[in-house]
Amino acid sequence: MPQDTMPALSGLDSFEQLEKLLGARRLDGSPEAAMTFEAFEVELAQVMRRFENELKAADLARYDVDAETLMVNGQLWRQCLAHQPKTYLSASGPITVSRNLYRPAGGGKSICPLELNAGIIGGLHTPVLARQVAYLMGHLTSEETSQVFGELGIEGPSSSTCDRLPKRLSEAWEAHRVQWENALREQEGVEAETAVVAVSLDGVMVPDKDGQSEAKAKREAAKAEGLSRAPSGPAGYREVGCGTVTLYDEEGHRLGTVRYGRAPESKKKTLTAQLDAELSSILAVRPDLSVVAIADGAEENWRYFDRPLYDNATRIVDHGHACEHLREAMSAYYGDKNIEGRAHYARFRIVLRDQVGGVDEVITELGRLSRRLRGKRHKARRKRLRSELTYFQNQRGRMAYADYQTRGLPIGSGVVEAACKTLATQRLKRSGMSWRGGKQAILTIRSLQQSQRWSAAWALLSAHFRVTIRVVRQRGHLKELTPVKMAA
């Protein structure tokens, strides 16, 4: 149980060191007085951290419990070891305290009430350090994260410790993900000027050791079946799914975006469930909003939007992807570097975007060009062109870009494409990387950071690691079950 054990400052060794350093700094001729300011700044920081660590150790000791029997989560625990020292990692360096351990009445792994009361994470990290490591791991590798603490002069976590922590946090997040994501949504509102909500999803291939195993198995199966060609596709890569829910005002200005990233999984089941929940939460508050479903032309994306939640949505094929297909069509007919072909592309790109019925004019033009490619010598070019013509014919109902712009709707999926880049590519596809486990931990951290939900999410995570301890038997006599008081 927390005790009032805070020592007087005069009793702290580090406080005396601080007084000594500051006093010597004022004495002419002393080594301390001769220090450069940079050296003094380094020395002062070290002494202050030692001072801070002693204060933290004294306060952390308050969260220990010294009793015969405890109850945690409905289970009885008996003291098995008393006053065992342990060193924890804090945001200012290591701190060592003495604590008690308890084992279940029927035997099993022991627990430490001090750690549960104080919210120590992973049996090693104080809450502030755990948050700092997790935040940095969203941007840096484990080695770089460890080096940051070294550069700051803090005896911090090792590279392997930095690698393990996000995975431990991810386990807790995934176990409570639906509940906690709902809690985050409930804390947020929908701005009054919001007029449109747009949902988009996409994917990006990342290096994956499981993908390498799958590719190897497919090649071996193809060889065993006597197939001349192994299955196509990038060996050793799997698709990370990315999704966004974006709010716009009547003028088409983006007001905010929630981003999700999920490790490879069948049919992007978790990602699509997250997008469903996000959209449903917004529409529950603002059913008047115009709903837009926007993606590239991949049919798997449009199969997701083919559900009741999107019955009244305006479906839009990303204008940028449509232009890529238009460029390919013009290249098929005119050639890659033909000036006339480039001019026709520039003209029809604007027609497609800004002219009412622009997609019909594009289809007519591509049909005309296709008919002009006759004879065997144009067979390959005609095939390329007709493939692009078919694309526009299939996507025609999702390409009324002039109308969409008049209604203040977005016509580009740049938000989700940027999410693919910033959530996954920038962190998961660095030189030499190949992932097996740990992808989701990083994607979750980055998603929360980029959705402006990191602080609120950390509050949920941190609270999860603080567990209420109840004392049952104190020094030989039965006590009423009383929760241990913990600092707010």
Short mmCIF file of all heavy atoms in Angstrom, two decimals, residues 8-69:
data_model
loop_
_atom_site.label_atom_id
_atom_site.label_comp_id
_atom_site.label_asym_id
_atom_site.label_seq_id
_atom_site.Cartn_x
_atom_site.Cartn_y
_atom_site.Cartn_z
N ALA A 8 13.38 13.75 3.12
CA ALA A 8 13.72 15.17 3.01
C ALA A 8 14.80 15.34 1.95
O ALA A 8 15.64 14.47 1.75
CB ALA A 8 14.22 15.68 4.37
N LEU A 9 14.76 16.46 1.24
CA LEU A 9 15.73 16.68 0.17
C LEU A 9 17.15 16.63 0.69
O LEU A 9 18.06 16.17 -0.01
CB LEU A 9 15.47 18.03 -0.50
CG LEU A 9 14.14 18.16 -1.27
CD1 LEU A 9 14.07 19.53 -1.92
CD2 LEU A 9 13.99 17.06 -2.29
N SER A 10 17.36 17.09 1.91
CA SER A 10 18.72 17.09 2.45
C SER A 10 19.26 15.69 2.65
O SER A 10 20.45 15.49 2.82
CB SER A 10 18.75 17.85 3.79
OG SER A 10 17.84 17.24 4.71
N GLY A 11 18.38 14.70 2.62
CA GLY A 11 18.81 13.32 2.80
C GLY A 11 19.17 12.62 1.50
O GLY A 11 19.55 11.45 1.53
N LEU A 12 19.05 13.29 0.40
CA LEU A 12 19.34 12.69 -0.90
C LEU A 12 20.78 12.97 -1.30
O LEU A 12 21.24 14.12 -1.28
CB LEU A 12 18.39 13.24 -1.96
CG LEU A 12 16.91 12.88 -1.81
CD1 LEU A 12 16.09 13.59 -2.87
CD2 LEU A 12 16.70 11.38 -1.92
N ASP A 13 21.50 11.91 -1.66
CA ASP A 13 22.89 12.07 -2.07
C ASP A 13 23.00 12.99 -3.28
O ASP A 13 23.92 13.82 -3.36
CB ASP A 13 23.50 10.71 -2.40
CG ASP A 13 23.64 9.83 -1.17
OD1 ASP A 13 23.65 10.38 -0.06
OD2 ASP A 13 23.71 8.59 -1.33
N SER A 14 22.08 12.84 -4.23
CA SER A 14 22.15 13.63 -5.45
C SER A 14 21.90 15.11 -5.17
O SER A 14 22.44 15.98 -5.86
CB SER A 14 21.15 13.11 -6.48
OG SER A 14 19.85 13.10 -5.92
N PHE A 15 21.09 15.41 -4.16
CA PHE A 15 20.83 16.81 -3.82
C PHE A 15 22.11 17.45 -3.28
O PHE A 15 22.43 18.60 -3.59
CB PHE A 15 19.71 16.91 -2.79
CG PHE A 15 19.32 18.32 -2.48
CD1 PHE A 15 18.65 19.11 -3.41
CD2 PHE A 15 19.62 18.88 -1.25
CE1 PHE A 15 18.30 20.41 -3.12
CE2 PHE A 15 19.27 20.19 -0.95
CZ PHE A 15 18.60 20.96 -1.89
N GLU A 16 22.84 16.67 -2.50
CA GLU A 16 24.11 17.18 -1.98
C GLU A 16 25.11 17.38 -3.14
O GLU A 16 25.88 18.34 -3.14
CB GLU A 16 24.68 16.20 -0.96
CG GLU A 16 23.81 16.07 0.30
CD GLU A 16 24.31 15.02 1.26
OE1 GLU A 16 25.34 14.37 0.93
OE2 GLU A 16 23.69 14.83 2.31
N GLN A 17 25.08 16.47 -4.12
CA GLN A 17 25.95 16.62 -5.29
C GLN A 17 25.59 17.89 -6.07
O GLN A 17 26.47 18.58 -6.60
CB GLN A 17 25.83 15.39 -6.18
CG GLN A 17 26.36 14.13 -5.55
CD GLN A 17 26.07 12.90 -6.40
OE1 GLN A 17 25.72 13.02 -7.58
NE2 GLN A 17 26.21 11.71 -5.81
N LEU A 18 24.31 18.17 -6.16
CA LEU A 18 23.85 19.36 -6.86
C LEU A 18 24.33 20.62 -6.15
O LEU A 18 24.84 21.55 -6.79
CB LEU A 18 22.33 19.35 -6.98
CG LEU A 18 21.68 20.58 -7.63
CD1 LEU A 18 22.15 20.73 -9.08
CD2 LEU A 18 20.15 20.46 -7.58
N GLU A 19 24.18 20.63 -4.84
CA GLU A 19 24.65 21.78 -4.06
C GLU A 19 26.16 21.97 -4.24
O GLU A 19 26.64 23.10 -4.39
CB GLU A 19 24.32 21.58 -2.58
CG GLU A 19 22.85 21.73 -2.26
CD GLU A 19 22.60 21.62 -0.76
OE1 GLU A 19 23.17 20.68 -0.15
OE2 GLU A 19 21.87 22.45 -0.21
N LYS A 20 26.89 20.85 -4.22
CA LYS A 20 28.34 20.91 -4.36
C LYS A 20 28.74 21.46 -5.72
O LYS A 20 29.63 22.31 -5.85
CB LYS A 20 28.93 19.52 -4.15
CG LYS A 20 30.45 19.47 -4.28
CD LYS A 20 30.97 18.06 -4.06
CE LYS A 20 32.48 18.01 -4.22
NZ LYS A 20 33.01 16.63 -4.03
N LEU A 21 28.07 20.98 -6.79
CA LEU A 21 28.39 21.44 -8.14
C LEU A 21 28.13 22.93 -8.28
O LEU A 21 28.97 23.68 -8.80
CB LEU A 21 27.56 20.66 -9.16
CG LEU A 21 27.65 21.16 -10.61
CD1 LEU A 21 29.07 20.99 -11.15
CD2 LEU A 21 26.65 20.41 -11.49
N LEU A 22 26.97 23.39 -7.82
CA LEU A 22 26.61 24.80 -7.96
C LEU A 22 27.51 25.69 -7.11
O LEU A 22 27.90 26.79 -7.54
CB LEU A 22 25.14 25.00 -7.59
CG LEU A 22 24.13 24.27 -8.48
CD1 LEU A 22 22.71 24.53 -7.99
CD2 LEU A 22 24.28 24.70 -9.93
N GLY A 23 27.87 25.20 -5.92
CA GLY A 23 28.76 25.98 -5.07
C GLY A 23 30.15 26.09 -5.67
O GLY A 23 30.74 27.18 -5.70
N ALA A 24 30.68 24.98 -6.18
CA ALA A 24 32.02 24.99 -6.76
C ALA A 24 32.08 25.82 -8.04
O ALA A 24 33.12 26.40 -8.37
CB ALA A 24 32.47 23.56 -7.05
N ARG A 25 30.97 25.89 -8.73
CA ARG A 25 30.93 26.64 -9.99
C ARG A 25 31.19 28.13 -9.74
O ARG A 25 31.68 28.84 -10.61
CB ARG A 25 29.55 26.45 -10.64
CG ARG A 25 29.35 27.14 -11.99
CD ARG A 25 30.18 26.50 -13.09
NE ARG A 25 29.79 27.00 -14.41
CZ ARG A 25 30.51 26.86 -15.50
NH1 ARG A 25 31.68 26.24 -15.44
NH2 ARG A 25 30.10 27.33 -16.65
N ARG A 26 30.88 28.58 -8.53
CA ARG A 26 31.05 30.00 -8.21
C ARG A 26 32.46 30.32 -7.70
O ARG A 26 32.79 31.49 -7.51
CB ARG A 26 30.04 30.41 -7.13
CG ARG A 26 28.58 30.17 -7.54
CD ARG A 26 27.63 30.75 -6.50
NE ARG A 26 26.26 30.39 -6.75
CZ ARG A 26 25.62 29.38 -6.14
NH1 ARG A 26 26.28 28.65 -5.24
NH2 ARG A 26 24.37 29.11 -6.42
N LEU A 27 33.27 29.31 -7.44
CA LEU A 27 34.59 29.53 -6.86
C LEU A 27 35.64 29.65 -7.96
O LEU A 27 35.87 28.72 -8.74
CB LEU A 27 34.97 28.36 -5.92
CG LEU A 27 34.05 28.15 -4.71
CD1 LEU A 27 34.50 26.92 -3.94
CD2 LEU A 27 34.07 29.39 -3.82
N ASP A 28 36.30 30.79 -8.02
CA ASP A 28 37.36 30.99 -9.00
C ASP A 28 38.49 30.01 -8.76
O ASP A 28 38.91 29.76 -7.62
CB ASP A 28 37.90 32.42 -8.92
CG ASP A 28 36.87 33.45 -9.35
OD1 ASP A 28 35.94 33.06 -10.08
OD2 ASP A 28 37.00 34.62 -8.96
N GLY A 29 38.99 29.43 -9.84
CA GLY A 29 40.11 28.50 -9.74
C GLY A 29 39.70 27.06 -9.56
O GLY A 29 40.56 26.17 -9.64
N SER A 30 38.40 26.77 -9.33
CA SER A 30 37.96 25.38 -9.17
C SER A 30 37.79 24.73 -10.54
O SER A 30 37.55 25.42 -11.54
CB SER A 30 36.63 25.33 -8.42
OG SER A 30 35.59 25.87 -9.22
N PRO A 31 37.94 23.41 -10.60
CA PRO A 31 37.72 22.73 -11.89
C PRO A 31 36.33 23.00 -12.45
O PRO A 31 36.15 23.12 -13.66
CB PRO A 31 37.90 21.25 -11.54
CG PRO A 31 38.78 21.26 -10.32
CD PRO A 31 38.37 22.48 -9.56
N GLU A 32 35.33 23.10 -11.56
CA GLU A 32 33.96 23.35 -12.01
C GLU A 32 33.83 24.74 -12.63
O GLU A 32 33.14 24.92 -13.64
CB GLU A 32 32.98 23.22 -10.83
CG GLU A 32 32.79 21.80 -10.32
CD GLU A 32 33.93 21.35 -9.41
OE1 GLU A 32 34.82 22.18 -9.10
OE2 GLU A 32 33.93 20.18 -9.01
N ALA A 33 34.52 25.71 -12.06
CA ALA A 33 34.46 27.07 -12.59
C ALA A 33 35.14 27.16 -13.95
O ALA A 33 34.80 28.01 -14.78
CB ALA A 33 35.09 28.05 -11.61
N ALA A 34 36.11 26.29 -14.18
CA ALA A 34 36.85 26.33 -15.44
C ALA A 34 36.14 25.59 -16.57
O ALA A 34 36.58 25.63 -17.72
CB ALA A 34 38.24 25.72 -15.23
N MET A 35 35.04 24.90 -16.25
CA MET A 35 34.29 24.18 -17.29
C MET A 35 33.76 25.13 -18.35
O MET A 35 33.38 26.26 -18.05
CB MET A 35 33.08 23.46 -16.68
CG MET A 35 33.36 22.25 -15.86
SD MET A 35 31.77 21.58 -15.25
CE MET A 35 32.32 20.15 -14.35
N THR A 36 33.72 24.65 -19.58
CA THR A 36 32.95 25.39 -20.59
C THR A 36 31.48 25.28 -20.24
O THR A 36 31.07 24.40 -19.45
CB THR A 36 33.18 24.79 -21.99
OG1 THR A 36 32.65 23.45 -22.01
CG2 THR A 36 34.65 24.79 -22.36
N PHE A 37 30.71 26.17 -20.82
CA PHE A 37 29.27 26.10 -20.53
C PHE A 37 28.68 24.77 -21.00
O PHE A 37 27.81 24.21 -20.35
CB PHE A 37 28.52 27.26 -21.20
CG PHE A 37 27.04 27.24 -20.93
CD1 PHE A 37 26.56 27.58 -19.68
CD2 PHE A 37 26.14 26.83 -21.90
CE1 PHE A 37 25.20 27.54 -19.40
CE2 PHE A 37 24.78 26.79 -21.64
CZ PHE A 37 24.31 27.15 -20.39
N GLU A 38 29.19 24.27 -22.13
CA GLU A 38 28.68 22.98 -22.63
C GLU A 38 28.96 21.87 -21.63
O GLU A 38 28.08 21.04 -21.34
CB GLU A 38 29.33 22.64 -23.97
CG GLU A 38 28.86 21.30 -24.54
CD GLU A 38 29.51 20.96 -25.87
OE1 GLU A 38 30.34 21.76 -26.35
OE2 GLU A 38 29.20 19.89 -26.42
N ALA A 39 30.17 21.83 -21.09
CA ALA A 39 30.52 20.81 -20.11
C ALA A 39 29.68 20.95 -18.85
O ALA A 39 29.24 19.95 -18.27
CB ALA A 39 32.01 20.89 -19.77
N PHE A 40 29.45 22.22 -18.41
CA PHE A 40 28.62 22.44 -17.23
C PHE A 40 27.19 21.97 -17.49
O PHE A 40 26.55 21.36 -16.62
CB PHE A 40 28.63 23.92 -16.86
CG PHE A 40 27.64 24.27 -15.78
CD1 PHE A 40 27.87 23.89 -14.46
CD2 PHE A 40 26.48 24.95 -16.09
CE1 PHE A 40 26.95 24.20 -13.46
CE2 PHE A 40 25.55 25.26 -15.10
CZ PHE A 40 25.78 24.88 -13.79
N GLU A 41 26.69 22.25 -18.70
CA GLU A 41 25.32 21.84 -19.03
C GLU A 41 25.18 20.33 -18.97
O GLU A 41 24.18 19.80 -18.45
CB GLU A 41 24.95 22.36 -20.42
CG GLU A 41 23.49 22.23 -20.76
CD GLU A 41 23.14 22.87 -22.09
OE1 GLU A 41 24.06 23.26 -22.83
OE2 GLU A 41 21.93 22.97 -22.39
N VAL A 42 26.20 19.61 -19.47
CA VAL A 42 26.17 18.14 -19.44
C VAL A 42 26.23 17.64 -18.00
O VAL A 42 25.46 16.76 -17.59
CB VAL A 42 27.34 17.56 -20.26
CG1 VAL A 42 27.46 16.05 -20.03
CG2 VAL A 42 27.14 17.86 -21.74
N GLU A 43 27.14 18.19 -17.21
CA GLU A 43 27.30 17.76 -15.83
C GLU A 43 26.05 18.06 -15.00
O GLU A 43 25.60 17.23 -14.20
CB GLU A 43 28.52 18.45 -15.20
CG GLU A 43 28.80 18.05 -13.76
CD GLU A 43 29.22 16.60 -13.62
OE1 GLU A 43 29.68 16.02 -14.62
OE2 GLU A 43 29.09 16.06 -12.50
N LEU A 44 25.49 19.24 -15.21
CA LEU A 44 24.27 19.61 -14.48
C LEU A 44 23.13 18.66 -14.82
O LEU A 44 22.38 18.23 -13.93
CB LEU A 44 23.88 21.05 -14.81
CG LEU A 44 22.59 21.57 -14.16
CD1 LEU A 44 22.73 21.57 -12.64
CD2 LEU A 44 22.25 22.96 -14.68
N ALA A 45 22.99 18.32 -16.08
CA ALA A 45 21.92 17.41 -16.50
C ALA A 45 22.08 16.04 -15.84
O ALA A 45 21.10 15.43 -15.40
CB ALA A 45 21.90 17.28 -18.02
N GLN A 46 23.30 15.56 -15.76
CA GLN A 46 23.55 14.27 -15.13
C GLN A 46 23.19 14.29 -13.65
O GLN A 46 22.56 13.35 -13.13
CB GLN A 46 25.01 13.86 -15.32
CG GLN A 46 25.38 13.54 -16.77
CD GLN A 46 26.86 13.27 -16.94
OE1 GLN A 46 27.68 13.56 -16.05
NE2 GLN A 46 27.23 12.72 -18.09
N VAL A 47 23.59 15.36 -12.97
CA VAL A 47 23.28 15.47 -11.55
C VAL A 47 21.78 15.60 -11.35
O VAL A 47 21.20 14.97 -10.45
CB VAL A 47 24.03 16.66 -10.93
CG1 VAL A 47 23.58 16.86 -9.48
CG2 VAL A 47 25.53 16.43 -10.98
N MET A 48 21.12 16.39 -12.18
CA MET A 48 19.68 16.56 -12.05
C MET A 48 18.93 15.25 -12.31
O MET A 48 17.93 14.95 -11.65
CB MET A 48 19.19 17.63 -13.02
CG MET A 48 19.65 19.04 -12.69
SD MET A 48 19.03 19.61 -11.07
CE MET A 48 17.27 19.71 -11.38
N ARG A 49 19.44 14.45 -13.24
CA ARG A 49 18.79 13.16 -13.49
C ARG A 49 18.98 12.22 -12.31
O ARG A 49 18.05 11.48 -11.95
CB ARG A 49 19.33 12.54 -14.78
CG ARG A 49 18.64 13.09 -16.03
CD ARG A 49 18.98 12.26 -17.25
NE ARG A 49 20.36 12.47 -17.68
CZ ARG A 49 20.74 13.44 -18.50
NH1 ARG A 49 19.83 14.28 -18.98
NH2 ARG A 49 22.00 13.57 -18.85
N ARG A 50 20.16 12.24 -11.70
CA ARG A 50 20.35 11.42 -10.51
C ARG A 50 19.42 11.88 -9.39
O ARG A 50 18.84 11.05 -8.66
CB ARG A 50 21.81 11.47 -10.05
CG ARG A 50 22.77 10.70 -10.96
CD ARG A 50 24.12 10.50 -10.29
NE ARG A 50 24.86 11.74 -10.17
CZ ARG A 50 25.72 12.20 -11.07
NH1 ARG A 50 25.93 11.51 -12.18
NH2 ARG A 50 26.37 13.32 -10.87
N PHE A 51 19.27 13.19 -9.27
CA PHE A 51 18.34 13.75 -8.28
C PHE A 51 16.92 13.30 -8.58
O PHE A 51 16.19 12.83 -7.69
CB PHE A 51 18.47 15.28 -8.33
CG PHE A 51 17.63 16.01 -7.32
CD1 PHE A 51 17.34 15.46 -6.09
CD2 PHE A 51 17.14 17.28 -7.62
CE1 PHE A 51 16.57 16.14 -5.16
CE2 PHE A 51 16.36 17.97 -6.71
CZ PHE A 51 16.07 17.40 -5.47
N GLU A 52 16.55 13.39 -9.83
CA GLU A 52 15.20 12.98 -10.25
C GLU A 52 14.98 11.48 -10.00
O GLU A 52 13.91 11.07 -9.54
CB GLU A 52 15.02 13.30 -11.74
CG GLU A 52 13.62 13.05 -12.26
CD GLU A 52 13.47 13.46 -13.72
OE1 GLU A 52 14.35 14.18 -14.24
OE2 GLU A 52 12.47 13.06 -14.35
N ASN A 53 15.99 10.68 -10.27
CA ASN A 53 15.85 9.23 -10.08
C ASN A 53 15.65 8.87 -8.62
O ASN A 53 14.88 7.96 -8.29
CB ASN A 53 17.08 8.50 -10.64
CG ASN A 53 17.12 8.54 -12.15
OD1 ASN A 53 16.11 8.77 -12.80
ND2 ASN A 53 18.31 8.30 -12.71
N GLU A 54 16.37 9.55 -7.73
CA GLU A 54 16.18 9.28 -6.30
C GLU A 54 14.77 9.66 -5.85
O GLU A 54 14.15 8.95 -5.06
CB GLU A 54 17.23 10.04 -5.48
CG GLU A 54 18.63 9.46 -5.62
CD GLU A 54 19.59 10.05 -4.61
OE1 GLU A 54 19.16 10.33 -3.46
OE2 GLU A 54 20.77 10.24 -4.95
N LEU A 55 14.27 10.78 -6.35
CA LEU A 55 12.90 11.18 -6.01
C LEU A 55 11.89 10.16 -6.53
O LEU A 55 10.93 9.79 -5.85
CB LEU A 55 12.59 12.56 -6.58
CG LEU A 55 13.35 13.74 -5.98
CD1 LEU A 55 13.04 15.01 -6.76
CD2 LEU A 55 12.97 13.93 -4.51
N LYS A 56 12.10 9.69 -7.75
CA LYS A 56 11.19 8.71 -8.35
C LYS A 56 11.23 7.39 -7.58
O LYS A 56 10.19 6.77 -7.35
CB LYS A 56 11.55 8.47 -9.81
CG LYS A 56 11.19 9.62 -10.74
CD LYS A 56 11.60 9.30 -12.17
CE LYS A 56 11.25 10.44 -13.11
NZ LYS A 56 11.67 10.14 -14.51
N ALA A 57 12.44 6.96 -7.21
CA ALA A 57 12.55 5.70 -6.47
C ALA A 57 11.81 5.76 -5.15
O ALA A 57 11.11 4.81 -4.76
CB ALA A 57 14.02 5.35 -6.25
N ALA A 58 11.96 6.90 -4.46
CA ALA A 58 11.28 7.06 -3.17
C ALA A 58 9.77 7.06 -3.36
O ALA A 58 9.03 6.46 -2.57
CB ALA A 58 11.74 8.35 -2.50
N ASP A 59 9.29 7.70 -4.42
CA ASP A 59 7.85 7.76 -4.62
C ASP A 59 7.30 6.42 -5.12
O ASP A 59 6.22 6.00 -4.72
CB ASP A 59 7.51 8.85 -5.63
CG ASP A 59 6.02 9.18 -5.63
OD1 ASP A 59 5.59 9.88 -4.69
OD2 ASP A 59 5.31 8.71 -6.53
N LEU A 60 8.07 5.73 -6.00
CA LEU A 60 7.60 4.44 -6.51
C LEU A 60 7.45 3.43 -5.39
O LEU A 60 6.55 2.58 -5.42
CB LEU A 60 8.59 3.93 -7.56
CG LEU A 60 8.21 2.63 -8.28
CD1 LEU A 60 6.87 2.77 -9.00
CD2 LEU A 60 9.30 2.24 -9.26
N ALA A 61 8.31 3.53 -4.36
CA ALA A 61 8.22 2.59 -3.23
C ALA A 61 6.89 2.71 -2.51
O ALA A 61 6.44 1.75 -1.86
CB ALA A 61 9.38 2.85 -2.26
N ARG A 62 6.23 3.85 -2.61
CA ARG A 62 4.93 4.05 -1.95
C ARG A 62 3.85 3.12 -2.50
O ARG A 62 2.84 2.88 -1.84
CB ARG A 62 4.48 5.49 -2.12
CG ARG A 62 5.39 6.53 -1.54
CD ARG A 62 4.95 7.95 -1.89
NE ARG A 62 3.59 8.23 -1.46
CZ ARG A 62 2.58 8.50 -2.27
NH1 ARG A 62 2.76 8.50 -3.58
NH2 ARG A 62 1.38 8.75 -1.79
N TYR A 63 4.05 2.60 -3.70
CA TYR A 63 3.02 1.79 -4.34
C TYR A 63 3.14 0.31 -4.03
O TYR A 63 2.35 -0.49 -4.51
CB TYR A 63 3.09 2.01 -5.87
CG TYR A 63 2.61 3.38 -6.26
CD1 TYR A 63 3.49 4.46 -6.24
CD2 TYR A 63 1.29 3.60 -6.61
CE1 TYR A 63 3.05 5.73 -6.58
CE2 TYR A 63 0.84 4.87 -6.94
CZ TYR A 63 1.74 5.93 -6.92
OH TYR A 63 1.30 7.19 -7.24
N ASP A 64 4.11 -0.06 -3.20
CA ASP A 64 4.25 -1.46 -2.84
C ASP A 64 3.21 -1.83 -1.78
O ASP A 64 2.65 -0.96 -1.10
CB ASP A 64 5.66 -1.74 -2.32
CG ASP A 64 5.99 -3.22 -2.34
OD1 ASP A 64 5.27 -3.97 -3.03
OD2 ASP A 64 6.96 -3.62 -1.68
N VAL A 65 2.96 -3.11 -1.63
CA VAL A 65 2.02 -3.64 -0.64
C VAL A 65 2.74 -4.69 0.18
O VAL A 65 3.39 -5.58 -0.36
CB VAL A 65 0.78 -4.26 -1.32
CG1 VAL A 65 -0.15 -4.87 -0.27
CG2 VAL A 65 0.05 -3.22 -2.15
N ASP A 66 2.63 -4.58 1.51
CA ASP A 66 3.24 -5.56 2.41
C ASP A 66 2.15 -6.18 3.25
O ASP A 66 1.77 -5.67 4.30
CB ASP A 66 4.29 -4.88 3.28
CG ASP A 66 5.12 -5.89 4.08
OD1 ASP A 66 4.92 -7.11 3.87
OD2 ASP A 66 5.95 -5.46 4.90
N ALA A 67 1.60 -7.28 2.75
CA ALA A 67 0.50 -7.96 3.43
C ALA A 67 0.68 -9.46 3.26
O ALA A 67 1.49 -9.93 2.45
CB ALA A 67 -0.84 -7.52 2.86
N GLU A 68 -0.09 -10.23 4.01
CA GLU A 68 0.02 -11.69 3.93
C GLU A 68 -0.72 -12.23 2.71
O GLU A 68 -0.21 -13.10 2.00
CB GLU A 68 -0.53 -12.32 5.20
CG GLU A 68 -0.41 -13.83 5.23
CD GLU A 68 -0.94 -14.41 6.53
OE1 GLU A 68 -0.85 -13.73 7.57
OE2 GLU A 68 -1.44 -15.55 6.50
N THR A 69 -1.94 -11.70 2.47
CA THR A 69 -2.77 -12.20 1.38
C THR A 69 -3.44 -11.04 0.66
O THR A 69 -3.91 -10.09 1.29
CB THR A 69 -3.86 -13.16 1.90
OG1 THR A 69 -3.24 -14.16 2.70
CG2 THR A 69 -4.59 -13.83 0.73
#
